[in-house]
């Protein structure tokens, strides 16, 4: 008898790395490299690391990322970008995001990684090189002749960025495990499991890493908040309904 389409898969099945469904184009932009990313950034995007690191090496000051055409991105893809940023810090360079799609924007918000990449001139969804938030004009006091601007503490700034990077990296494994739990429990694909987590996180106003901790605690018998259970169940039903509708249309 054939196996049901939504049968649960053991967690060991997650060890197989998916194919790379993303591409990048790198062009020189003065002292920096402009890297345009397209497609799906998940664990398979690790295959692009050599190209990303090569673009970083070719730059004098760092890499600007255009993520406006990334239609799917999960923690595996974010890990690739975080690794690039960490390498840039080691070389005394920077990695910024010039534009991002709504999918990438949600991921940056949920993981708290937005401030690591997005600069004041980063574009929002759809890709724009204008400031994402227009500053409100305020009166500028005339400085006294003796006053001198305080020099920037570069070491302190770098330490702050490294601490932020480490916090984002610590949340990634828990979120990946949580996605694996959802995949194994409900027999969902990696993309559908990610959709379930994002939906439940948004509808319960719970940070993604906190939601992941709740799901991991359930393995050891800790109760999952009732609101989270309800939203998870509703999200699972929704993705299955969407999959059935798509299958019916294809037939």
């Amino acid at each position: 008898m054939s196996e049901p389409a939504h049968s649960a898969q053991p967690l060991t099945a997650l060890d197989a790395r998916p194919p790379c469904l993303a591409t990048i184009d790198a062009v020189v932009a003065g002292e920096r490299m402009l890297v345009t990313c397209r497609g799906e950034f998940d664990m398979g995007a690790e295959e692009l690391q050599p190209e990303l690191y090569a673009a970083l090496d070719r730059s004098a000051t760092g890499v600007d990322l255009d993520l406006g055409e990334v239609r799917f991105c999960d923690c595996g893809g974010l890990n690739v970008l975080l690794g690039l940023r960490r390498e840039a810090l080691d070389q005394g360079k920077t990695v910024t995001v010039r534009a991002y799609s709504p999918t990438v924007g949600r991921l940056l918000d949920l993981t708290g990684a937005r401030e690591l990449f997005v600069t004041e001139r980063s574009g929002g969804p759809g890709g724009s090189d204008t400031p994402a938030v227009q500053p409100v004009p305020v009166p500028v006091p005339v400085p006294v002749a003796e006053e001198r601007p305080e020099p920037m503490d570069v070491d302190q700034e770098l330490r702050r960025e490294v601490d932020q990077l480490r916090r984002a990296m610590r949340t990634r494994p828990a979120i990946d495990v949580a996605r694996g739990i959802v995949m194994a429990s409900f027999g969902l694909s990696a993309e559908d499991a990610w959709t379930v987590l994002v939906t439940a996180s948004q509808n319960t106003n719970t940070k993604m890493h906190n939601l992941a901790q709740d799901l991991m605690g359930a393995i050891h018998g800790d109760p999952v908040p009732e609101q989270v259970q309800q939203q998870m169940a509703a999200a699972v039903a929704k993705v299955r309904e969407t999959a059935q509708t798509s299958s019916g249309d294809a037939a």
Side-chain angles (χ1 to χ4, degrees):
M1 184 173 62
S2 61
E3 190 174 347
H6 289 291
S7 61
Q9 299 295 324
L11 292 179
T12 53
L14 300 178
D15 295 337
R17 182 174 299 174
C20 181
L21 301 177
T23 61
I24 62 172
D25 293 319
V27 296
V28 178
E31 294 185 341
R32 303 182 66 78
M33 292 292 292
L34 173 60
V35 177
T36 301
C37 306
R38 300 181 177 87
E40 301 182 7
F41 261 63
D42 52 18
M43 290 180 62
E46 291 180 5
E47 294 183 15
L48 299 176
Q49 282 183 326
E51 295 180 59
L52 290 170
Y53 285 17
L56 178 64
D57 291 339
R58 290 169 57 194
S59 70
T61 61
V63 170
D64 296 319
L65 298 171
D66 182 345
L67 307 176
E69 297 184 50
V70 175
R71 60 178 179 270
F72 174 77
C73 185
D74 62 9
C75 287
L78 177 60
N79 189 39
V80 173
L81 301 180
L82 289 172
L84 177 65
R85 183 176 175 82
R86 182 170 56 184
E87 178 65 21
L89 286 174
D90 290 342
Q91 297 184 22
K93 302 177 182 180
T94 60
V95 175
T96 66
V97 172
R98 291 185 55 179
Y100 54 87
S101 65
T103 296
V104 175
R106 285 195 300 271
L107 180 62
L108 294 177
D109 285 337
L110 290 169
T111 59
R114 177 185 292 274
E115 60 190 32
L116 297 178
F117 293 101
V118 181
T119 67
E120 62 180 2
R121 290 195 59 79
S122 295
S128 168
D129 201 27
T130 58
V133 179
Q134 297 293 338
V136 178
V138 295
V140 180
V142 178
V144 182
E146 300 85 351
E147 292 181 348
R148 296 288 185 274
E150 302 222 352
M152 179 185 296
D153 188 339
V154 177
D155 288 341
Q156 183 178 358
E157 182 69 13
L158 286 176
R159 284 195 297 269
R160 184 182 66 83
E161 290 193 356
V162 170
D163 287 342
Q164 292 171 344
L165 177 61
R166 286 173 177 168
R167 284 199 301 271
M169 291 290 285
R170 281 197 298 268
T171 66
R172 186 196 62 81
I175 295 174
D176 281 345
V177 171
R179 184 174 66 164
I181 293 172
V182 175
M183 291 174 65
S185 299
F186 301 103
L188 300 177
S189 67
E191 183 173 353
D192 285 345
W194 177 251
T195 300
V196 168
L197 289 176
V198 170
T199 302
S201 174
Q202 292 175 337
N203 291 347
T204 60
N205 195 27
T206 304
K207 290 290 187 181
M208 181 70 83
H209 64 272
N210 291 333
L211 177 63
Q213 292 295 340
D214 287 341
L215 295 180
M216 291 172 62
I219 296 178
H220 304 290
D222 296 335
V224 177
E226 183 176 353
Q227 184 184 18
V228 172
Q229 294 184 41
Q230 294 174 350
Q231 291 299 329
M232 290 281 293
V236 170
K238 182 64 175 179
V239 297
R240 285 181 171 169
E241 179 184 352
T242 301
Q244 291 175 354
T245 301
S246 299
S247 298
D249 292 341

